[in-house]
Amino acid sequence: MQVTPADTGDRAAAQTLLARVVAAHHRLELVWADGGYTGSLIEYGLTALALVIAVVKHSDDMRGFVVLPKRWIVERFFAHLMRSRRLVRDFERRTASAEAMVYWSMTLLMTRRLARPRPSRV
């Protein structure tokens, strides 16, 4: 995860984030991205990181709400973040505190899932 200042563009931040992720996870080969991450980022992923970036786009003939493949995973993540009241608005002055709030929100989600009673396997 990487939190950047508001004046940092998504494509520039994606380059540094992808480099960090590839360094940590050597077997990573494919990344799904939104339609805004086209252009030089795809070339950078192939040449510098040996990474295929597959862009999930809306088709021109879609009308109304349509669930896009793999896109729902990101939207669900954002929904979990918005359950934390401090993350609904940008209250943080530093990116470090904003990043800490994201970790806090995800920790709450994981502990709730771990504490959930599971059905017995009988």
Side-chain angles (χ1 to χ4, degrees):
M1 181 188 66
Q2 177 180 346
V3 176
T4 60
D7 63 346
T8 304
D10 288 344
R11 290 181 189 171
Q15 285 187 353
T16 58
L17 177 65
L18 286 175
R20 287 175 44 195
V21 169
V22 168
H25 304 282
H26 302 290
R27 295 176 58 190
L28 186 65
E29 297 176 358
L30 174 66
V31 172
W32 288 289
D34 188 50
Y37 295 100
T38 58
S40 63
L41 182 64
I42 294 175
E43 295 170 12
Y44 171 78
L46 278 174
T47 57
L49 304 173
L51 192 64
V52 175
I53 300 175
V55 177
V56 179
K57 292 185 179 181
H58 293 277
S59 67
D60 294 334
D61 60 343
M62 278 197 266
R63 293 216 173 248
F65 177 76
V66 178
V67 177
L68 297 174
K70 304 298 179 186
R71 178 72 183 262
W72 65 272
I73 298 169
V74 175
E75 297 300 333
R76 183 182 61 188
F77 171 74
F78 288 146
H80 286 306
L81 288 180
M82 292 304 113
R83 289 181 67 192
S84 301
R85 294 185 83 184
R86 275 185 74 170
L87 293 172
V88 172
R89 302 280 185 265
D90 293 327
F91 292 123
E92 310 305 325
R93 291 180 185 236
R94 288 186 238 123
T95 57
S97 60
E99 188 173 340
M101 292 306 299
V102 171
Y103 279 123
W104 174 69
S105 178
M106 290 294 102
T107 302
L108 284 175
L109 174 67
M110 288 188 298
T111 54
R112 284 185 190 131
R113 287 183 179 176
L114 288 171
R116 187 180 329 163
R118 297 180 186 219
S120 62
R121 297 182 182 185
V122 176

